[in-house]
């Protein structure tokens, strides 16, 4: 009877432990999935934010270039206005000369008319006959005739000269008017270009303002998501804090005996800043230590210490990854695995096989990435790394 009772108690305790473990695993997985979803949204938003920032920068650069072009056109317009003003001054001067020439021509014409009237003041019959009859001698006649002819020739020559002068000034004025018209046409072309640039500038400013508003909205969204991520991170830490304290034990995460003959574990990249092996970027942060696997995969990976599995899945650039919580805020990461041998919620012992190495995620070749986190922050994993024989 007592035996049956003991079996029943054991069964109940087992069910409670399994139930508790399952509930923990479900809650941890749920929180981790929520956190990952938030991080994915944040990464997408950050990329979009950076893209919008590039768009704003390009727009502002274009505005500065347009401003410079507008200033250049303004200088051209000022220069053109000076030329037009100079041409107008020449036109005004030519107009004054032309008016004076017309006035002189009219005066000379009037004087000639008066002289003709004086010659014919006694009627149209007075002419060469009267000159002959009124002459006292032949020499007097010749003198009178020569004087009359000279006066007439002078008047005619003067009128011709004045007419030519007036025509020359009139032509000069017409050429100046044409030059002014051409300058005005050039000015209108430049002002048209300026107006187009002003319009482009206004459109670009409107676009930059619109994109800036989108960036502000996106920043507000990112702030909210980051607050959500922080809250989930704290909730995950709270779940981790229930796993007890790290006992200080350390086990080898890799064993030389598991490696193919002629190969052995070699650290290929240390913790901290380095040259990114994929992009070549200098100063890239490396959150753990990489141990090469001799260009082979499926080498056993062991837990550094006992604890509870809080992540076991594909984890972005880490590929297939396992995270074990050892208590006291300490957890370890094993990344780029070919196969995972544990699941979230599993309790593992130090030195227990948890994965098989691989080359999944963001890698250049097969290796094991080992990381250590203290209260969610990556620390130097060297003091926790052991490689066994």
């Amino acid at each position: 009877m007592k035996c049956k009772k003991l079996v029943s108690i054991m069964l109940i305790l087992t069910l409670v432990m399994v139930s508790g473990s399952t509930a923990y695993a479900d809650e941890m997985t749920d929180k981790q999935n929520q956190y990952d979803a938030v991080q994915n949204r944040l990464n997408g938003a950050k990329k979009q934010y950076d893209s919008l920032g590039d768009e704003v920068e390009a727009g502002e650069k274009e505005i500065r270039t347009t401003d410079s072009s507008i200033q250049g056109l303004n200088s051209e317009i000022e220069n053109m206005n000076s030329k037009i003003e100079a041409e107008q001054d020449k036109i005004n001067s030519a107009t004054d000369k032309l008016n004076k020439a017309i006035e002189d021509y009219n005066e000379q014409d009037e004087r000639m008319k008066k002289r003709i009237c004086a010659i014919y003041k006694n009627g149209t019959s007075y002419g060469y006959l009267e000159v002959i009859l009124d002459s006292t001698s032949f020499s007097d006649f010749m003198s009178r005739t020569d004087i009359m002819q000279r006066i007439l020739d002078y008047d005619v020559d003067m009128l011709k000269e004045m007419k030519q002068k007036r025509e020359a000034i009139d032509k000069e004025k017409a050429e100046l008017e044409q030059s002014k018209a051409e300058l005005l046409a050039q000015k209108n072309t430049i002002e048209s270009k300026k107006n187009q640039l002003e319009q482009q500038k206004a459109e670009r400013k409107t676009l930059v303002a619109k994109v800036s508003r989108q960036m502000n909205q996106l920043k507000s969204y990112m702030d909210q998501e980051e607050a959500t991520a922080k809250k989930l991170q704290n909730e995950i830490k709270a779940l981790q804090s229930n796993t007890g304290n790290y006992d200080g034990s350390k086990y080898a995460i890799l064993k030389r005996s598991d490696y193919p003959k002629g190969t052995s574990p070699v650290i290929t990249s240390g913790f901290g800043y380095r040259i990114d092996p994929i992009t070549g970027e200098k100063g890239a942060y490396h959150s753990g230590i990489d141990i090469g696997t001799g260009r082979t995969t499926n080498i056993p990976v062991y837990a550094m210490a006992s604890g509870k599995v809080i992540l076991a899945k594909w984890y972005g650039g880490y590929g297939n990854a396992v995270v074990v919580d050892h208590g006291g805020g300490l957890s370890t990461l094993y990344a780029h695995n070919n196969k995972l041998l544990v699941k979230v919620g599993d309790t593992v012992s130090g030195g227990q096989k948890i994965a098989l190495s691989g080359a999944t995620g963001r890698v250049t070749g097969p290796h094991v990435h080992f990381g250590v986190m203290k209260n969610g922050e990556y620390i130097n994993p060297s003091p926790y790394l052991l490689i066994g024989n």
Side-chain angles (χ1 to χ4, degrees):
M1 186 71 179
K2 285 183 180 179
C3 185
K4 286 183 178 179
K5 210 176 229 186
L6 186 59
V7 170
S8 298
I9 291 169
M10 290 296 291
L11 284 170
I12 292 168
L13 286 171
T14 302
L15 287 170
V16 169
M17 288 175 67
V18 171
S19 175
S21 177
T22 303
Y24 172 85
D26 289 344
E27 186 174 6
M28 179 61 78
T29 299
D30 181 57
K31 295 293 182 186
Q32 193 66 52
N33 286 339
Q34 288 182 51
Y35 180 79
D36 290 346
V38 171
Q39 286 296 332
N40 286 336
R41 291 197 298 271
L42 263 175
N43 289 337
K46 284 175 181 175
K47 286 181 181 178
Q48 187 181 355
Y49 187 85
D50 290 342
S51 177
L52 290 173
D54 291 342
E55 194 174 341
V56 167
E57 186 178 347
E60 289 176 342
K61 183 180 178 181
E62 191 173 331
I63 288 170
R64 289 193 296 272
T65 302
T66 304
D67 274 336
S68 178
S69 298
I70 289 171
Q71 288 175 6
L73 289 176
N74 281 334
S75 296
E76 285 188 49
I77 290 171
E78 287 178 10
N79 184 43
M80 203 60 67
N81 282 335
S82 298
K83 288 182 178 179
I84 291 170
E85 188 175 340
E87 288 298 302
Q88 187 60 54
D89 288 342
K90 291 178 183 178
I91 290 169
N92 292 340
S93 176
T95 302
D96 291 340
K97 288 180 183 178
L98 183 60
N99 291 335
K100 182 69 169 61
I102 292 170
E103 184 180 340
D104 291 344
Y105 180 88
N106 289 337
E107 286 179 1
Q108 184 64 30
D109 187 53
E110 188 64 29
R111 281 196 293 270
M112 189 181 73
K113 287 177 181 178
K114 285 181 179 179
R115 275 192 287 274
I116 291 171
C117 286
I119 293 170
Y120 293 102
K121 63 181 179 178
N122 295 322
T124 56
S125 60
Y126 186 84
Y128 283 103
L129 181 61
E130 284 75 9
V131 171
I132 294 170
L133 295 175
D134 290 343
S135 297
T136 57
S137 65
F138 181 73
S139 61
D140 182 38
F141 164 75
M142 291 300 294
S143 295
R144 285 172 178 260
T145 302
D146 184 56
I147 290 169
M148 283 184 64
Q149 189 61 45
R150 287 189 180 189
I151 290 171
L152 288 172
D153 289 344
Y154 173 79
D155 286 336
V156 170
D157 289 342
M158 282 295 295
L159 287 173
K160 283 181 179 179
E161 183 182 339
M162 288 181 179
K163 183 181 179 184
Q164 289 172 354
K165 185 177 180 182
R166 187 180 71 179
E167 287 174 348
I169 295 171
D170 199 27
K171 182 181 178 183
E172 180 187 357
K173 181 183 176 184
E175 289 172 352
L176 290 170
E177 290 282 5
Q178 179 64 29
S179 177
K180 178 185 175 183
E182 289 172 359
L183 289 172
L184 284 170
Q186 291 177 29
K187 178 186 174 183
N188 290 337
T189 301
I190 294 170
E191 286 182 337
S192 178
K193 288 181 181 178
K194 177 188 172 184
N195 292 336
Q196 288 176 2
L197 287 175
E198 290 283 7
Q199 186 177 351
Q200 289 176 12
K201 176 184 172 183
E203 290 172 355
R204 185 55 58 185
K205 276 189 171 182
T206 300
L207 180 61
V208 167
K210 180 182 177 182
V211 174
S212 296
R213 286 195 298 272
Q214 290 176 348
M215 287 183 71
N216 290 334
Q217 292 169 358
L218 199 57
K219 183 66 170 63
S220 178
Y221 168 76
M222 287 163 61
D223 290 342
Q224 292 173 8
E225 289 288 16
E226 283 176 353
T228 301
K230 188 69 176 175
K231 181 182 176 185
L232 285 167
Q233 199 173 34
N234 290 334
E235 290 174 357
I236 291 170
K237 284 181 183 178
L239 286 171
Q240 287 179 274
S241 66
N242 295 327
T243 58
N245 293 318
Y246 170 54
D247 61 11
S249 62
K250 288 186 288 185
Y251 291 82
I253 68 164
L254 291 167
K255 297 178 182 178
R256 291 183 178 86
S257 58
D258 292 327
Y259 273 65
K261 189 176 180 179
T263 62
S264 62
V266 176
I267 292 176
T268 56
S269 185
F271 173 80
Y273 294 97
R274 63 175 183 174
I275 296 175
D276 191 293
I278 294 177
T279 64
E281 178 188 357
K282 294 181 179 179
Y285 180 70
H286 188 224
S287 61
I289 291 176
D290 291 342
I291 306 103
T293 57
R295 297 185 179 180
T296 61
T297 59
N298 296 321
I299 292 176
V301 179
Y302 303 94
M304 185 276 295
S306 61
K308 185 173 283 189
V309 177
I310 60 173
L311 183 143
K313 64 175 184 177
W314 182 275
Y315 201 51
Y318 289 123
N320 291 320
V322 174
V323 176
V324 178
D325 176 23
H326 304 289
L330 185 75
S331 58
T332 50
L333 164 71
Y334 313 81
H336 308 305
N337 302 291
N338 190 42
K339 186 178 181 180
L340 305 181
L341 304 178
V342 292
K343 63 184 183 301
V344 173
D346 286 355
T347 298
V348 297
S349 302
Q352 178 180 331
K353 192 186 295 185
I354 58 175
L356 297 177
S357 69
T360 59
R362 188 175 182 271
V363 296
T364 56
H367 70 278
V368 174
H369 174 93
F370 177 63
V372 177
M373 291 164 281
K374 183 70 175 177
N375 297 322
E377 301 293 332
Y378 283 105
I379 61 173
N380 190 346
S382 295
Y384 300 91
L385 175 62
L386 284 179
I387 297 174
N389 290 319

